């Protein structure tokens, strides 16, 4: 496997490579280049011609390219799903579905490329400007660097690359280290669909590649999904060049379960939203469950019973419910976080064991507010249940974290729904459904440590463009 710089597939300038491993078996699937500073500099230089070509490409041609890629993704959905399963470790049904969503996102941005509207602004509210008029339009930023995480690589990348191209920018992708192969394959589709040379380039490698892109004067925007620590670092480095930064970061999403909820429905949603979706590696997964005390034990029993029936194993097999974490480091990190929670007073009701990259779905109780097990994000299949007595107390507990991505509430009481929407400091409040949901046509993102913007079809195009005003003086009314 090579990376794409300018209009050619190439190895790293220094010849370095990284292995791509199957997280379920640790078998070596492929080798990819480990880009260095020279490769980044070459890509950024080429992108300057790519940005000019993209800015000149009319919206209907941008539509044609993105729509062609969407069709090709759909035609190869099964094979792409298998490839993503092998390199990422999510269940095959999940990875195949992710490829379907990726095609849908490409198609959505193709359509939105034709609807990047400006405004006509009457100025007669301003004394002396009664005969004047202003109009605005959106222009490309230039070069967008897309830094992509491992957990939903195709889906999350598609927002950045399709959004950037739809807005008329050149895009440089920094693929995830652990699972770049599916993105590499779809990059071939983009190239073959007729994009101008260097309109999209793809680099593989480590954190230094991303940092070099952030430092570069030739990059006008960074769009990154990843950890809060990485987001902070990007903001620090990007400040030197005043480039635009779009961050979608971690989450510690709370779910509030009220006594009037359907507990069977809730238990199924919690297990799906924490264990069988992404193997627990989702920023908006169910991270903390706050349960009204009168139904706490009943819900706990139902969740433990469902968890006991889950099969941990090979994600390529149809009967597997939960696959591996992305690598041994990730599994060891989750193991250490559970051990710390237990040391702080938590009880393991089921699970808690690790084998290589696999961590058994784990249900905790007695997790104490104020401890890392309550306040910090655990990126793996661990589900803490905490009782509450008053609804306002639940809202306070939900907000008692530095993160603010999404939250959910299960209830039939519309007043409680609206109160939660009013009080919770998050980007989205989900009602009677798991927090592990993202709808591509809605703005997605969080508050506090969870990010600084919103990403989604239409919203992303606005972020990835700049508004320019034309002020027309004394153009209205009869001639003087």
């Amino acid at each position: 496997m090579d990376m794409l710089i300018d209009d050619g597939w190439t190895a790293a300038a220094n010849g370095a490579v990284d292995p791509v491993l199957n997280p379920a078996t640790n078998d070596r699937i492929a080798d990819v280049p480990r880009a260095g500073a020279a490769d980044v500099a070459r890509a950024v230089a080429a992108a300057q011609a790519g940005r000019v070509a993209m800015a000149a490409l009319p919206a209907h041609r941008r539509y044609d390219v993105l729509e062609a890629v969407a069709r090709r993704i759909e035609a190869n959905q099964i094979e792409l799903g298998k490839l993503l399963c092998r390199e990422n470790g999510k269940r095959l049904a999940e990875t195949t579905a992710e490829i379907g969503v990726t095609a849908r996102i490409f198609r959505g941005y193709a359509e939105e490329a034709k609807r990047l509207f400006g405004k006509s602004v009457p100025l007669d509210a301003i004394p002396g400007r009664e005969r004047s008029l202003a109009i605005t339009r959106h222009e490309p930023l230039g070069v967008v660097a897309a830094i992509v995480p491992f957990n939903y690589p195709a889906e999350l990348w598609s927002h950045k690359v399709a959004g950037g191209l739809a807005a008329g920018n050149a895009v440089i992708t920094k693929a995830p280290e652990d699972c770049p192969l599916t993105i590499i394959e779809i990059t071939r589709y983009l190239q073959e669909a007729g994009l101008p040379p260097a309109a999209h380039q793809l680099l593989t490698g480590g954190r230094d590649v991303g940092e070099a892109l952030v430092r570069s004067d030739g990059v006008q925007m960074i769009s990154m999904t990843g950890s809060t620590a990485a987001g902070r670092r990007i903001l620090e480095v990007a400040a030197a060049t005043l480039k635009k930064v779009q961050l979608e970061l971690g989450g510690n999403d709370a779910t509030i379960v009220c006594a009037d909820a359907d507990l069977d429905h809730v238990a199924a949603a919690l297990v799906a939203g924490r264990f069988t979706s992404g193997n627990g590696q989702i920023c908006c997964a169910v991270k903390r469950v706050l349960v009204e005390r009168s139904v706490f034990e009943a819900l706990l029993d139902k969740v433990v019973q469902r968890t006991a029936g889950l099969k941990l194993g090979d994600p390529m097999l149809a009967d597997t419910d939960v696959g591996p974490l992305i690598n041994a480091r990730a599994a060891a990190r989750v193991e250490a976080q559970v051990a710390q929670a237990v040391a702080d007073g938590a009880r393991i009701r089921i699970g808690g064991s690790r084998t290589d990259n696999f961590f058994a779905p784990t249900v905790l109780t007695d997790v104490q507010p104020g401890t890392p097990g309550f306040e910090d994000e655990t990126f793996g299949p661990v589900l803490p249940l905490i009782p509450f007595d008053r609804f306002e107390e639940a809202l306070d507990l939900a907000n008692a974290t530095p993160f603010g991505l999404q939250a959910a509430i299960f209830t039939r009481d519309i007043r409680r729904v609206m109160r939660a929407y009013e009080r919770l400091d998050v980007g989205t409040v989900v009602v009677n459904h798991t927090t592990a949901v993202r709808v591509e046509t809605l703005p997605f993102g969080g508050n506090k440590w969870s990010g600084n913007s919103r990403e989604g079809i239409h919203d992303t195009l606005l972020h990835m463009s700049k508004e320019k005003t034309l002020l027309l003086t004394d153009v209205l009314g009869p001639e003087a």
Side-chain angles (χ1 to χ4, degrees), residues 360-416:
T362 300
V363 177
L364 300 178
T365 59
D366 302 295
V367 174
Q368 303 300 311
T371 64
F374 185 90
E375 293 185 352
D376 294 345
E377 179 179 32
T378 301
F379 215 60
V382 179
L383 184 66
L385 274 67
I386 301 110
F388 70 86
D389 295 301
R390 296 177 301 102
F391 185 63
E392 292 295 320
E393 174 194 1
L395 299 176
D396 289 339
L397 289 170
N399 282 332
T401 175
F403 299 94
L405 186 52
Q406 300 202 133
I409 179 170
F410 287 84
T411 183
R412 296 183 177 92
D413 187 338
I414 189 63
R415 291 187 62 83
R416 283 190 163 186

Side-chain angles (χ1 to χ4, degrees), residues 2-272:
D2 288 333
M3 57 188 177
L4 180 62
I5 298 180
D6 201 348
D7 201 35
W9 293 90
T10 182
N14 62 6
V17 297
D18 283 327
V20 179
L21 305 180
N22 182 330
T25 64
N26 286 319
D27 292 339
R28 195 174 190 138
I29 304 171
D31 289 327
V32 296
R34 185 173 185 86
D39 302 302
V40 175
R42 184 180 162 207
V44 172
Q48 306 316 306
R51 67 179 284 185
V52 173
M54 279 303 299
L57 199 67
H60 67 85
R61 282 290 298 125
R62 301 198 294 270
Y63 167 86
D64 289 341
V65 169
L66 296 175
E67 172 61 26
V69 173
R71 289 196 303 270
R72 194 162 174 194
I73 293 170
E74 289 171 335
N76 294 283
Q77 182 175 358
I78 301 303
E79 290 307 312
L80 289 170
K82 290 178 180 177
L83 176 60
L84 183 54
C85 179
R86 290 176 62 218
E87 65 172 332
N88 174 272
K90 295 200 301 283
R91 295 178 299 114
L92 180 59
E94 269 200 280
T95 56
T96 304
E98 180 179 343
I99 298 302
V101 172
T102 300
R104 203 165 65 222
I105 291 170
F106 266 87
R107 179 165 290 117
Y109 280 107
E111 292 288 349
E112 202 67 17
K114 300 181 290 185
R115 296 191 287 267
L116 193 53
F117 302 133
K119 295 178 292 190
S120 172
V121 186
L123 297 178
D124 57 345
I126 310 299
R129 291 287 180 186
E130 294 86 356
R131 291 165 48 84
S132 299
L133 176 71
I135 61 174
T136 71
R137 70 174 185 175
H138 290 275
E139 297 183 348
L141 289 173
V143 179
V144 174
I147 301 177
V148 185
F150 73 84
N151 56 340
Y152 281 79
E155 177 181 346
L156 298 177
W157 171 67
S158 63
H159 275 288
K160 303 176 191 307
V161 68
L165 295 172
N169 300 291
V171 178
I172 302 174
T173 293
K174 192 279 181 190
E177 289 180 74
D178 292 288
C179 52
L181 304 181
T182 306
I183 290 178
I184 291 173
E185 181 62 21
I186 300 175
T187 290
R188 298 184 190 278
Y189 304 169
L190 275 166
Q191 186 185 29
E192 293 164 9
L195 275 181
H200 176 248
Q201 302 173 85
L202 183 143
L203 299 172
T204 51
R207 294 180 181 177
D208 54 328
V209 175
E211 181 144 338
L213 289 170
V214 177
R215 287 187 183 281
S216 174
D217 283 325
V219 174
Q220 282 68 52
M221 178 178 178
I222 302 294
S223 179
M224 176 268 198
T225 300
S227 71
T228 297
R232 283 200 185 99
R233 178 60 181 166
I234 286 172
L235 285 173
E236 291 172 1
V237 175
T241 52
L242 293 178
K243 57 173 52 72
K244 198 169 189 177
V245 177
Q246 180 185 45
L247 300 175
E248 194 273 286
L249 307 176
N252 192 12
D253 293 8
T255 294
I256 298 173
V257 182
C258 299
D260 64 341
D262 180 335
L263 296 188
D264 288 319
H265 171 65
V266 173
L270 296 179
V271 169

Side-chain angles (χ1 to χ4, degrees), residues 22-25 85 88-92 275 279 309-325 355 357-361:
N22 182 330
T25 64
C85 179
N88 174 272
K90 295 200 301 283
R91 295 178 299 114
L92 180 59
F275 299 143
N279 305 331
L310 298 177
K311 180 180 177 182
L312 187 69
D314 184 349
M316 293 289 285
L317 299 178
D319 62 346
T320 293
D321 298 302
V322 183
L325 300 187
T355 304
N357 298 347
F358 292 86
F359 197 86

